[in-house]
Amino acid sequence: MTPTLATLRAAALATLAPQPDVQTALNHMGFVQADPIRAPARAQDLTLMARVPGYRAGDLERLYPTLDIEEDMLPNYGFMPRRVQALLHPREVVTRVMQAHPGLVEEVRALVLAGEEQTEWHPREVAARLGQGATVNAWGGQSSATTRALETLHRQGEVRVVRRDGGVRVYGPAPHLAALRHSPLPESERLHGAVQLLAALYGPLPEASLSYLVNLSHFGFPHLHGALKGAFRQAVKEDLGRGQIDGVRYVWPAGLPLDGPAPSGVRIVGPFDPLVWDRRRFTHLYGWTYRFEAYTPAPKRVMGYYALPVFQAERAVGWANLQVKGETLQAEVGLVPGVRRTATFVRGLTRELERYRTFLGAEQVETL
């Protein structure tokens, strides 16, 4: 089938199909990106509430110890089923803390993996045992060197995140990854699986965007990145569906239906949701440019600190800034030029804001 803008939009929105629970949603998606900003909720919670009816902010953190999922890196940091994590390990990692604090990683390894009765380690406890040093973190600030050593062991697959304590990662041994170090999946299976996952999660998407995601995946495959790019090129030639519209080459998993029903209603999604993550695709499919402005100086913001894209039917029609003040969910909605605030849109928006009210535990909604 030759794609059109309408069929591509419908196929992209199909990712919002409801799932019965969090585990099923993670199994279906394969990866959910994490982000710590809460405006109005963390990225992982926004992504899951868009797909799991009745989901509440914080459910993923609460349920995590009971689920078959792990925290790890693929194109970015996030949550994934263990079957996906198995594609990423064993992983060879060299980090800044290994160079700046020689021997510290070995000390943390000996403490956390000593086989003592304690099987969970908060970074604060590790720092207290071994002393507190400072190192530059990924954002240019200072953080505990022992925390960075724990993160290095996590990336290497020697420890895992067992739970979170107020958002802080608590670590413990990762025996399931030790088994993979001894008997990993075939390299070709690992790389092929990663490319297919990215194509399915973010597709249909421009070929250039999938290439960018593969490049980002040096986080997940630091020592196999060149081979991963080769697997991407092979997949484009042999495995993925392909089509061109307006001079843009799109790819998608073979068998993905491009003739599904057109979506209806109003939906608000987070800025890291797979539906809107690829700004190249967003601009092409919807005809305007969405910007994430949390890191833009306030006087230069057009949409707002943490604007969430708003969809009506198959089109992106605007954005919403949501915040909870006291017991009230306040919503400020902006529409792109040419979109009218019709009675149908207002009814759909009211239903969607009611879902967000429940998700965030607010008592009422106020539209500004």
Side-chain angles (χ1 to χ4, degrees):
M1 175 181 178
T2 302
T4 65
L5 284 177
T7 59
L8 290 174
R9 287 194 291 255
L13 279 154
T15 185
L16 297 180
Q19 304 295 326
D21 52 52
V22 173
Q23 183 70 65
T24 305
L26 263 295
N27 291 345
H28 178 74
M29 298 177 71
F31 175 77
V32 169
Q33 183 173 341
D35 189 84
I37 297 177
R38 283 189 276 192
R42 293 188 178 103
Q44 55 268 34
D45 286 326
L46 291 168
T47 297
L48 289 169
M49 76 83 65
R51 294 160 176 82
V52 181
Y55 185 91
R56 303 291 187 273
D59 276 356
L60 179 61
E61 184 173 319
R62 178 178 61 82
L63 294 171
Y64 177 87
T66 69
L67 299 174
D68 178 29
I69 61 174
E70 297 288 336
E71 296 190 27
D72 211 324
M73 298 280 288
L74 186 51
N76 300 288
Y77 192 87
F79 300 84
M80 61 191 67
R82 284 191 174 183
R83 63 171 176 79
V84 173
Q85 191 188 36
L87 303 174
L88 306 175
H89 293 271
R91 178 190 285 149
E92 298 175 13
V93 178
V94 177
T95 64
R96 186 178 298 170
V97 73
M98 297 168 73
Q99 300 169 332
H101 300 269
L104 179 61
V105 172
E106 287 72 18
E107 291 183 55
V108 174
R109 179 188 291 116
L111 177 66
V112 176
L113 302 179
E116 299 176 357
E117 291 185 5
Q118 183 167 344
T119 59
E120 297 185 1
W121 291 90
H122 192 290
R124 184 174 56 243
E125 297 177 272
V126 178
R129 291 280 192 100
L130 299 180
Q132 184 99 2
T135 184
V136 176
N137 64 28
W139 296 273
Q142 296 291 317
S143 62
S144 167
T146 51
T147 298
R148 292 298 168 196
L150 281 166
E151 291 170 353
T152 292
L153 292 173
H154 182 209
R155 288 201 65 197
Q156 292 182 158
E158 297 184 65
V159 303
R160 63 179 293 264
V161 176
V162 297
R163 62 182 178 87
R164 289 201 177 217
D165 181 7
V168 176
R169 293 188 286 264
V170 177
Y171 296 92
H176 69 293
L177 294 179
L180 284 173
R181 284 196 294 276
H182 294 295
S183 182
L185 296 174
E187 183 177 303
S188 59
E189 181 179 338
R190 295 169 62 188
L191 301 175
H192 179 267
V195 173
Q196 292 292 328
L197 185 153
L198 295 172
L201 178 61
Y202 295 99
L205 77 170
E207 182 182 323
S209 297
L210 182 56
S211 176
Y212 176 60
L213 282 161
V214 167
N215 283 329
L216 272 184
S217 296
H218 69 85
F219 293 116
F221 295 91
H223 67 296
L224 294 175
H225 192 220
L228 182 65
K229 290 192 284 188
F232 157 71
R233 290 190 292 269
Q234 180 180 359
V236 170
K237 292 179 181 178
E238 302 177 6
D239 301 325
L240 300 176
R242 291 176 290 170
Q244 184 166 304
I245 182 170
D246 298 338
V248 180
R249 292 184 309 214
Y250 274 79
V251 293
W252 56 84
L256 178 71
L258 294 181
D259 55 355
S264 60
V266 173
R267 301 298 302 270
I268 301 173
V269 302
F272 297 99
D273 193 285
L275 178 60
V276 300
W277 187 92
D278 179 16
R279 306 298 192 252
R280 178 188 287 107
R281 182 181 79 168
F282 188 100
T283 301
H284 182 232
L285 292 187
Y286 305 114
W288 58 278
T289 300
Y290 163 70
R291 294 182 177 89
F292 179 64
E293 299 178 323
Y295 303 111
T296 300
K300 296 183 178 180
R301 291 177 190 148
V302 176
M303 299 178 188
Y305 172 74
Y306 202 82
L308 288 73
V310 176
F311 290 81
Q312 183 180 22
E314 84 283 2
R315 296 182 179 275
V317 296
W319 59 91
N321 288 278
L322 308 179
Q323 61 176 328
V324 176
K325 286 194 173 181
E327 301 297 324
T328 300
L329 170 61
Q330 294 184 340
E332 185 173 4
V333 178
L335 300 178
V336 297
V339 174
R340 295 188 302 112
R341 197 177 290 257
T342 64
T344 300
F345 173 77
V346 171
R347 285 194 298 270
L349 178 64
T350 299
R351 285 192 292 269
E352 183 70 346
L353 291 176
E354 181 63 19
R355 285 203 321 119
Y356 270 85
R357 182 196 65 77
T358 303
F359 163 65
L360 296 167
E363 294 295 327
Q364 57 190 349
V365 177
E366 178 184 8
T367 303
L368 303 177

